[in-house]
Amino acid sequence: MTVLGIETSCDETAASICSDGKILSSIISSQIIHSSFGGVVPEIASREHERMLNSIVSNSLSDANLKLGDLDAIAVTNGPGLAGALLTGVSFAKGLALGLNIPLIPINHLEAHIFVNFLADPTLEYPFLCLLVSGGHTQLWLINDMEIYELLGETRDDAAGEAFDKGSRILGLGYPGGPQIEKTAQYGNPNAIVFPRGLMDPDSLEFSFSGLKTSLLYFMDDFQETPDCRLPDVAASYQQAIIESLSEKLARAVEKNGVKTCVVAGGVAANSRLRLVLKNRIKNVRILFPDLEYCTDNAAMVSFLGELKFKKSDKSNLLFSVLPNLKLN
Ligand code: KG4
Ligand code: ZN
């Protein structure tokens, strides 16, 4: 079957076609307009989605050499995310599904981030652990089967992506912060400054990043570059503190749950240093990452999970609403 996926939960307008488990197209328009504000402005995000959706969907169809009439179903993200932004995608998808008289499948954005790992390796088997690290979430999940999920730990304050974004703002590196910090940190020493790692007591699987961010803020108050400590050293040390917190908790969860595979999901999974540190820290367990283009927000994950969900239960319902605070379970 052939499914169109639509994603508008934050500041990426995206559409994708998935057919029999293969991604035929994946179009993403990132709203760079927000960078001048240092973060996403919800009202602008909704208006940009409205402006872009039609052409993004058309491009995803033409990239896949398909027409609207070839679609068997549509999948759309209905949460979590910004209410207005979600509403643009869901309204568009409902109108299209009604017009084409084909089923519509609501998709949980978090679940889509996790399941895109099946694209990285279709032989991935349950149960597996998932470190979900995005701009709004930092959670450890035990994935027992589709729709059978157990939350093992999560952040008590900021998400890891948020820590990258806030840190980047403090360092004057711009938005989104993850890629900026990663780029600057490339030339720095990760051990130059010892920033705090939150909630390190032995049994904890929880995360905390707000103390780290405050510590960077104080550090930068009277920071002067010297040959021994340059801005890249600060970025690298700050990044290292985030990554070590993540890798330590994932390693503990692996030990406690005895799984054979871990997957990493969400925008922060794109970080190459995180990938390296996790592979060095967690031995004897396979660690899977999505392809880089499927780490940050995209619609391939939506069309892919849409097809899986439709095959599991082919019920369509146009009455669902947007759920800005939707959880995984
Ligand atoms: O999954 P995502 O695109 O959107 C949400 O669902 O939140 O994640 C966005 C987050 C942002 O906070 C961004 O700074 C972070 O992922 N991110 C990264 C990298 N690329 C994106 N963090 C660290 N390193 C990266 N290379
Ligand atoms: Zn996301």
Side-chain angles (χ1 to χ4, degrees):
M1 70 180 295
T2 301
V3 178
L4 165 69
I6 295 176
E7 158 64 41
T8 63
S9 66
C10 192
D11 59 343
E12 260 86 28
T13 315
S16 159
I17 307 285
C18 180
S19 190
D20 298 329
K22 291 206 168 55
I23 300 301
L24 304 187
S25 68
S26 174
I27 307 281
I28 306 172
S29 164
S30 296
Q31 304 177 354
I32 44 173
I33 186 167
H34 302 284
S35 56
S36 54
F37 298 98
V40 179
V41 183
E43 181 57 32
I44 295 178
S46 312
R47 270 190 263 146
E48 283 295 294
H49 288 312
E50 276 195 341
R51 196 172 67 81
M52 296 302 296
L53 259 170
N54 218 356
S55 59
I56 297 290
V57 168
S58 296
N59 289 350
S60 74
L61 280 164
S62 56
D63 250 33
N65 275 321
L66 294 176
K67 298 194 169 45
L68 278 174
D70 297 320
L71 297 177
D72 297 309
I74 300 176
V76 62
T77 303
N78 77 319
L82 301 168
L86 289 164
L87 200 56
T88 56
V90 167
S91 308
F92 185 96
K94 283 187 179 180
L96 197 55
L98 258 178
L100 296 171
N101 196 23
I102 56 175
L104 182 63
I105 307 142
I107 294 293
N108 182 321
H109 181 86
L110 304 176
E111 203 175 9
H113 268 306
I114 295 171
F115 274 75
V116 82
N117 276 287
F118 280 96
L119 263 183
D121 183 357
T123 69
L124 174 60
E125 279 179 7
Y126 302 107
F128 58 87
L129 274 176
C130 177
L131 173 65
L132 176 63
V133 271
S134 67
H137 292 80
T138 295
Q139 297 176 323
L140 272 168
W141 288 97
L142 180 59
I143 309 294
N144 289 304
D145 204 334
M146 185 185 266
E147 293 166 12
I148 307 179
Y149 313 134
E150 197 180 320
L151 183 64
L152 305 176
E154 65 182 329
T155 182
R156 297 214 184 144
D157 40 57
D158 294 346
E162 201 177 350
F164 272 102
D165 294 335
K166 288 178 174 170
S168 179
R169 199 176 311 162
I170 295 169
L171 296 174
L173 297 174
Y175 180 86
Q180 303 295 342
I181 290 196
E182 178 173 9
K183 203 161 60 174
T184 310
Q186 254 182 321
Y187 308 102
N189 170 8
N191 303 314
I193 305 138
V194 181
F195 286 117
R197 281 85 167 132
L199 298 175
M200 281 300 178
D201 36 307
D203 287 331
S204 175
L205 291 179
E206 307 279 301
F207 305 86
S208 168
F209 297 106
S210 66
L212 168 65
K213 172 199 65 193
T214 309
S215 150
L216 177 69
L217 196 63
Y218 286 145
F219 181 85
M220 290 307 287
D221 265 353
D222 47 19
F223 172 69
Q224 303 272 344
E225 278 213 333
T226 64
D228 289 337
C229 190
R230 301 156 306 125
L231 195 68
D233 298 321
V234 184
S237 303
Y238 183 78
Q239 173 177 260
Q240 187 69 7
I242 298 174
I243 288 174
E244 279 184 8
S245 298
L246 297 174
S247 61
E248 176 60 28
K249 304 298 163 67
L250 183 59
R252 288 177 188 181
V254 167
E255 215 164 283
K256 277 190 187 170
N257 290 279
V259 290
K260 293 199 192 97
T261 311
C262 296
V263 308
V264 188
V268 181
N271 187 285
S272 54
R273 174 100 191 150
L274 173 68
R275 291 175 176 228
L276 184 75
V277 170
L278 285 180
K279 284 199 169 136
N280 287 335
R281 174 74 177 78
I282 300 167
K283 302 279 187 198
N284 307 324
V285 169
R286 201 162 66 109
I287 305 184
L288 212 56
F289 300 90
D291 285 355
L292 282 183
E293 62 184 317
Y294 302 144
C295 288
T296 45
D297 288 349
N298 64 88
M301 64 185 193
V302 178
S303 59
F304 180 73
L305 182 59
E307 189 182 7
L308 290 180
K309 290 263 172 186
F310 192 74
K311 284 183 171 158
K312 189 167 189 280
S313 155
D314 62 355
K315 288 194 192 79
S316 171
N317 166 12
L318 284 179
L319 297 179
F320 66 86
S321 47
V322 299
L323 298 168
N325 297 316
L326 185 61
K327 308 258 185 290
L328 200 54
N329 65 10

